[in-house]
């Protein structure tokens, strides 16, 4: 696991906002802009999707990303590939060291299957994604919500190939930075999940910063 710090100065960021857990956020990055996601209190899960902002039918592809980099986990140097095999973003700094793209986003259905029938109506990332695209985008619909990235989430794969959801590796102040390699729409659900050890059963805020090309 390689950790990589960023030289960027938060006082020079052109965007700086705290996003509470349970909230969605979407923003279009220009090529060369850098987005930093800060895990302010540690072990938060930040469910994230990416789209070509000029043609949102082209979107993040977990399977192409995993195959092309030959690794299941995302970290510094990972290129996030699209369904057309093009690079949407590159992870240019990472002080957490591992991010998941296998576990998917929590949903009403998974709340029910994983935890208990009565958990169905608790908040979920899929609901946050749906609300955010319905209110803040023009062309995206629920069929565009494909497999996502879970920044800071620890979903190790066992030698037998099973997925396990574990206590997170992240800690307060750890961050990941992405450089947009094309005009990219970023869609985030700051996970509200109260039933998963990945976030210590305690969803917490994140900080989002953007810099222009450096
Ligand atoms: Zn979630």
């Amino acid at each position: 696991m390689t950790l990589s710090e960023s030289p960027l100065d938060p006082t020079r960021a052109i965007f700086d906002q705290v996003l509470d857990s349970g909230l969605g956020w979407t923003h279009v990055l220009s090529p060369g802009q850098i987005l930093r996601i800060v895990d302010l209190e540690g072990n938060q899960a930040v469910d994230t999707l990416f789209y070509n902002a000029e043609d949102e039918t082209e979107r993040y592809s977990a399977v192409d990303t995993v195959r092309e980099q030959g690794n299941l986990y995302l970290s510094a140097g990972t290129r996030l590939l699209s369904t057309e095999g093009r690079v949407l973003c590159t992870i240019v700094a990472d002080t957490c060291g591992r991010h998941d793209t296998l576990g998917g986003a929590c949903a009403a259905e998974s709340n029910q299957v994983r935890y208990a029938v009565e958990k169905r109506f608790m908040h979920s990332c899929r609901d946050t994604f749906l609300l955010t695209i319905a209110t803040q985008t023009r062309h995206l619909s629920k069929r565009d919500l494909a497999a996502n990235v879970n920044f800071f989430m620890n979903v190790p794969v066992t030698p037998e190939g099973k997925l396990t959801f574990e206590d997170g590796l992240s800690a307060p102040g750890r961050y990941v930075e992405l450089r947009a390699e094309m005009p990219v729409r970023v869609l985030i659900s700051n996970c509200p999940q109260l039933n998963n050890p990945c976030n210590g059963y305690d969803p917490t805020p994140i900080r989002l910063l953007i810099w222009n090309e450096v």
Side-chain angles (χ1 to χ4, degrees):
M1 195 180 303
T2 314
L3 301 185
S4 162
E5 294 196 10
S6 166
L8 294 174
D9 177 358
T11 65
R12 299 178 66 98
I14 60 161
F15 180 94
D16 186 353
Q17 179 184 314
V18 171
L19 184 72
D20 279 336
S21 59
L23 295 182
W25 180 82
T26 186
H27 191 92
V28 173
L29 298 174
S30 302
Q33 284 190 320
I34 293 175
L35 169 68
R36 181 187 294 183
I37 306 171
V38 186
D39 186 4
L40 287 174
E41 298 186 27
N43 287 0
Q44 179 57 2
V46 184
D47 294 47
T48 309
L49 284 164
F50 302 90
Y51 303 85
N52 173 353
E54 294 177 342
D55 176 5
E56 290 172 341
T57 61
E58 180 180 2
R59 59 189 177 226
Y60 173 68
S61 169
V63 65
D64 288 288
T65 299
V66 165
R67 187 193 63 238
E68 287 304 308
Q69 74 164 356
N71 198 301
L72 290 172
Y73 308 121
L74 312 185
S75 186
T78 299
R79 300 182 310 156
L80 304 182
L81 298 188
S82 76
T83 44
E84 302 297 323
R86 301 197 298 159
V87 183
L88 293 157
C89 296
T90 304
I91 299 180
V92 292
D94 179 18
T95 62
C96 174
R98 180 188 286 181
H99 309 273
D100 165 69
T101 194
L102 302 173
C106 63
E109 293 77 8
S110 64
N111 279 349
Q112 191 172 351
V113 170
R114 281 184 191 151
Y115 309 122
V117 171
E118 65 269 22
K119 309 284 190 188
R120 177 177 181 83
F121 301 103
M122 293 178 72
H123 294 286
S124 70
C125 285
R126 186 167 172 83
D127 287 351
T128 302
F129 281 148
L130 287 169
L131 181 63
T132 306
I133 62 175
T135 55
Q136 297 184 50
T137 73
R138 296 179 66 180
H139 303 297
L140 293 175
S141 71
K142 62 182 177 183
R143 67 184 300 165
D144 298 307
L145 300 180
N148 58 290
V149 178
N150 293 302
F151 288 112
F152 310 111
M153 192 160 126
N154 186 24
V155 184
V157 178
T158 69
E160 294 75 35
K162 293 187 184 304
L163 293 183
T164 55
F165 289 77
E166 300 288 341
D167 188 10
L169 299 170
S170 190
R174 303 253 174 123
Y175 60 81
V176 62
E177 271 183 15
L178 302 130
R179 183 180 63 226
E181 308 292 4
M182 65 166 77
V184 171
R185 174 176 292 284
V186 183
L187 174 64
I188 286 177
S189 162
N190 192 20
C191 186
Q193 188 53 251
L194 290 166
N195 302 291
N196 194 319
C198 289
N199 63 6
Y201 309 98
D202 179 24
T204 50
I206 55 170
R207 182 180 176 191
L208 301 166
L209 301 105
I210 297 171
W211 288 265
N212 280 328
E213 194 170 5
V214 287

